[in-house]
Amino acid sequence: MKYSVILNPYSNRWKAADALPRLQEIYSQQSVDVQFYKTDEPTHATQLAKSISQDVEQTIIVAGGDGTIGEVVNGLYQAKPEGILGPLGIIPLGTANDLVNNLGHPLALEQAVATIIQGKTRRIDLGKVNDWVFANNSAIGLEPVVTIFNIRMTRWKGVIRYLIAALRAIYSQPEWTMQIRWDDGEYDGPISLVSVGNCPVTGGLFRMAPAADPEDGLLTFVRGFAPTRLAMLKLLPRAISGGYVNDPAIHQHHTRSLHITCQPQTPLQADGELRSETLTEITYTILPSRLDVFCP
């Protein structure tokens, strides 16, 4: 089997670049045919994955964080809009590594490589928001505002950065009016957040869609409105455990599709990466059983 590793050196604030020599050494010890590609700009991983996947003998491995995984998955999807994608190998080099943690995959480099080489796979769903595919989570409203603050911060590192970004986003007290339609329900009114999960955890520690299951053929979304900063702050620690969905202001649903009209414009994040800051129409759909990933 031939492996192509797409590595994002910027992942985890350039720490991923330091892992390249060790990865090359590990693969050399395994005596496997592997070629490394380093990304050098946003969406480069998508372009590489789309191009490499044309060679059916190549198995693509993504080395980076959740955003890089998302870019690679989109490259695979663009190359093959129908049918099963992958198998995809994942070497976690990000800050939070949400998808890997949600799937229970190893974080250590040696174990991640061994998992891929042994060849066992697991088939998971994908979500799609407008024209972008995601593997773990997407959101509009408060959550991508957190992403915006997270991008701007350079002093703090690791998961603590997500927590501080959440506090700053809450202090800004954003609010939207949304019309939301899903398989068996609808809502019109004020909204603070809409978080759509293929998996439960995002941001390293927030269980934003606690009932999400990447193999159930459904998206799990949470909507809620907190009218004051204090109300938002009270929900924050409960979002870490997922218990915030038991609050009367928070509602969790399962659906195959979700359409949202929003005023004013909302930002959108998918797999932790900001995809837009100016959306008023958002459509989510589930792509059931679409991606094979190597698993322990």
Side-chain angles (χ1 to χ4, degrees), residues 84-120:
I84 307 303
L85 308 179
L88 177 67
I90 302 174
I91 297 174
L93 297 177
T95 303
N97 299 308
D98 287 324
L99 182 63
V100 164
N101 282 315
N102 275 310
L103 296 179
H105 292 190
L107 292 172
L109 295 186
E110 292 84 354
Q111 294 177 11
V113 171
T115 294
I116 294 165
I117 291 175
Q118 76 177 4
K120 180 182 176 182

Side-chain angles (χ1 to χ4, degrees), residues 137-140 143 180 191-197 200 207-212 219-225 242 244-246 249-254 258 260:
N137 162 274
S138 177
I140 59 174
E143 199 173 314
I180 305 175
I191 282 286
S192 301
L193 65 88
V194 177
S195 188
V196 182
R207 194 168 288 272
M208 295 303 297
L219 293 171
T220 299
F221 79 96
V222 174
R223 60 178 175 89
F225 175 62
Y244 82 124
V245 297
N246 298 316
I250 304 297
H251 307 272
Q252 183 172 223
H253 309 275
H254 301 287
L258 176 67
I260 302 167

